[in-house]
Amino acid sequence: MNQELEQFQRVENQEVSTETNILLPTARVDLFVKDQETLEAARALKHDWRFARVTISVEEGNVDSAIKNYAQSAAPDLVIIETETTGEEFVQRLQSLSAYCDETTNAIVIGPVNDVDLYRSLTSMGVSDYLVKPVAFNVLSEIIAKALIDQLGVSGSRLIGVIGAKGGVGTSALTQGLAWGLSEQLKQKTFLLDAAGGWSTTSVGIGFEPSATIHEAVSAAASQDEDNLKRMLFKPSEHLTVLATGSDAMLEPSVHAQQFEELIDWLMQSYPVVLVDLSGAIPSLKKTIVTKAHELVVVTTPTLPALRSARSLIGEVKTLQGGDDANIDLIVNMAGVMPSKEVPKKDIETALDYKPSTVISFDPKLFLGNENEGKNLTDNKNGTEIVSKLLPIAQKVLSGKMTKTENAKDSFLDNLLSKVKNKG
Ligand SMILES: Nc1ncnc2c1ncn2[C@@H]1O[C@H](COP(=O)(O)OP(=O)(O)OP(=O)(O)O)[C@@H](O)[C@H]1O
Ligand SMILES: [Mg+2]
């Protein structure tokens, strides 16, 4: 069977596929439709968990309403238009609409008749899909999900790595503080994992019994075995999920960087924020995350050996991030641990040639007290203040605008323009 025809018929019998059963990227979708059933389906999209980050606007209208709208305000990522007619006049109106769309806008058309030729001519114009009204909820949600994934990539999720300039500087404690801040205070669905294998202390900080190894987690990722992964998860609160690893043998080899990356990619399909504690990771895993992360938090203490390492580390991280240090945050932890022997705050910036984002005081009563009593930082006032000091870093990560992925498809406008150019 003709491939296009096959695709056309597949649209008619749409079911949720594993490919689209993910949290969709941040996007704006506008619908201009008149058919009542389709309108209801469009309005119900906001109840689909996959659309949590998609802003959907539904207007009773058609291509002319869209033109009127975008003559005044910016076009969305995806525009869906219902039409009563399918002739040359409609195609011209669609061309007029494309003049108001920017180069990232895609379009889907809903029409009155089941017509493969029309489907073919519209898709060749750059329209992502042609559907026949009325469009049921599951068809509409699936088609939009697929269009957004093709257009924007699988995930608008953010990856944050936290790395210590040296051992014992408090990287794990602060990663956990950041996890609480993101999940409790900013209400972000957050995933925390510790890359240290058997050296992980996250189970003590968060309060769980390790039930899995990093090796098991990467195998689950390799076979996309969600049920297997589920048994490795610990959920300390509504918005925070932790990979309950830590039962790895301490003296056996770690997983490979490529396997670890596969796990991270998989997790980022379902969690908007993935936070990785790199304090006990082997260098190749550190490098993988440093290269990939949207934000890299470097933790140091105000002592000479740590600052010396921090300086070298920031230099290497900067190189791996393409010479840019905009996504690096430096935290000076345990300030005041030994005032007479530590580098004063004002000299740290000069010594590192880098301005710390925040400075956290040495507070053994709070940190060690919490550890002994099985509490987390947000359980007490001083701890909550520390978490608040970390929040600007978390907010910076969340505000990062999504970039188009390399494999993203050409937009509606790109295709229309190239078609017009080819004609000329
Ligand atoms: N600001 C602080 N004041 C007092 N104690 C702290 C502070 N930050 C962390 N700690 C404590 O210091 C100890 C080491 O912290 P943590 O385990 O987080 O360090 P790490 O850098 O992850 O270590 P490792 O290199 O072993 O992974 C812990 O007992 C922790 O509670
Ligand atoms: Mg640690």
Side-chain angles (χ1 to χ4, degrees):
M1 196 194 297
N2 177 314
Q3 208 187 348
E4 286 161 314
L5 186 60
E6 234 176 73
Q7 189 183 358
F8 182 68
Q9 292 186 343
R10 179 188 49 74
V11 163
E12 299 283 274
N13 307 311
Q14 203 73 48
E15 276 173 24
V16 173
S17 69
T18 42
E19 185 199 351
T20 57
N21 195 24
I22 60 165
L23 187 73
L24 296 168
T26 304
R28 233 185 86 208
V29 179
D30 290 358
L31 294 99
F32 299 91
V33 286
K34 288 197 167 153
D35 173 71
Q36 282 309 311
E37 192 180 332
T38 312
L39 272 171
E40 271 166 38
R43 288 185 183 126
L45 287 170
K46 62 174 184 291
H47 302 302
D48 185 329
W49 70 274
R50 299 175 300 165
F51 287 77
R53 294 184 296 193
V54 181
T55 309
I56 295 173
S57 143
V58 186
E59 191 178 318
E60 208 166 329
N62 56 19
V63 64
D64 291 321
S65 333
I67 292 173
K68 216 166 131 200
N69 261 270
Y70 307 141
Q72 285 162 13
S73 57
D77 297 290
L78 175 64
V79 56
I80 301 182
I81 286 158
E82 184 186 323
T83 179
E84 289 295 324
T85 56
T86 54
E88 188 56 29
E89 198 197 331
F90 170 67
V91 172
Q92 273 173 13
R93 300 303 288 148
L94 214 49
Q95 261 165 1
S96 307
L97 172 66
S98 75
Y100 293 106
C101 296
D102 67 29
E103 58 196 20
T104 56
T105 301
N106 268 344
I108 290 175
V109 173
I110 299 173
V113 284
N114 189 337
D115 179 344
V116 176
D117 289 333
L118 178 64
Y119 168 80
R120 195 173 294 160
S121 91
L122 286 174
T123 49
S124 78
M125 274 176 61
V127 168
S128 315
D129 248 314
Y130 172 77
L131 310 173
V132 181
K133 71 170 187 180
V135 186
F137 174 78
N138 64 332
V139 175
L140 189 65
S141 59
E142 194 59 15
I143 291 292
I144 296 178
K146 199 162 176 326
L148 292 180
I149 291 168
D150 282 349
Q151 188 182 346
L152 299 169
V154 287
S155 156
S157 296
R158 317 309 289 170
L159 175 65
I160 310 171
V162 191
I163 188 168
K166 63 188 274 301
V169 294
T171 306
S172 296
L174 297 185
T175 310
Q176 289 153 26
L178 205 50
W180 290 117
L182 278 156
S183 59
E184 297 297 285
Q185 301 188 0
L186 300 180
K187 308 281 178 228
Q188 292 294 311
K189 190 178 168 194
T190 303
F191 194 97
L192 168 66
L193 76 156
D194 186 335
W199 297 84
S200 166
T201 52
T202 301
S203 59
V204 180
I206 299 282
F208 62 87
E209 240 349 281
S211 64
T213 66
I214 292 264
H215 285 87
E216 286 166 336
V218 299
S219 313
S223 54
Q224 308 254 308
D225 185 345
E226 280 183 34
D227 289 337
N228 195 4
L229 180 77
K230 265 189 202 139
R231 75 165 183 88
M232 304 179 201
L233 304 182
F234 176 70
K235 214 165 173 336
S237 72
E238 188 189 346
H239 299 292
L240 181 61
T241 306
V242 185
L243 189 63
T245 52
S247 42
D248 306 67
M250 293 176 83
L251 302 178
E252 291 301 324
S254 165
V255 296
H256 295 294
Q258 203 188 337
Q259 295 174 299
F260 192 65
E261 187 171 2
E262 206 174 2
L263 171 65
I264 298 290
D265 287 340
W266 192 42
L267 294 170
M268 284 173 72
Q269 288 180 15
S270 311
Y271 294 87
V273 183
V274 175
L275 189 59
V276 189
D277 177 354
L278 292 168
S279 58
I282 57 168
S284 62
L285 300 195
K286 284 181 176 161
K287 188 174 174 184
T288 301
I289 300 300
V290 165
T291 313
K292 210 176 162 69
H294 299 97
E295 196 68 25
L296 209 274
V297 182
V298 176
V299 182
T300 183
T301 52
T303 53
L304 262 184
L307 290 172
R308 188 176 290 255
S309 299
R311 193 186 158 88
S312 311
L313 182 62
I314 289 172
E316 284 193 36
V317 169
K318 196 173 154 183
T319 308
L320 286 171
Q321 293 232 333
D324 188 3
D325 60 13
N327 298 326
I328 306 172
D329 271 292
L330 176 68
I331 301 181
V332 176
N333 188 26
M334 305 191 190
V337 60
M338 197 181 270
S340 61
K341 300 285 178 217
E342 65 189 49
V343 180
K345 260 186 221 169
K346 63 178 173 38
D347 295 338
I348 292 179
E349 188 176 339
T350 320
L352 294 189
D353 199 16
Y354 207 84
K355 193 174 185 301
S357 300
T358 188
V359 177
I360 310 277
S361 303
F362 180 61
D363 188 345
K365 196 165 160 242
L366 172 69
F367 281 86
L368 302 187
N370 274 352
E371 270 167 14
N372 285 345
E373 291 162 29
K375 287 185 178 162
N376 72 63
L377 276 179
T378 46
D379 285 339
N380 25 38
K381 192 168 156 280
N382 290 355
T384 307
E385 272 169 27
I386 289 177
V387 171
S388 303
K389 287 180 109 176
L390 303 173
L391 276 192
I393 297 174
Q395 274 153 337
K396 179 180 157 199
V397 179
L398 298 177
S399 66
K401 199 159 162 34
M402 241 195 68
T403 47
K404 232 179 150 188
T405 52
E406 280 165 20
N407 61 355
K409 276 191 184 165
D410 284 345
S411 71
F412 171 47
L413 181 70
D414 289 339
N415 283 328
L416 259 182
L417 284 183
S418 65
K419 177 136 173 117
V420 172
K421 274 185 217 142
N422 290 344
K423 269 189 181 171

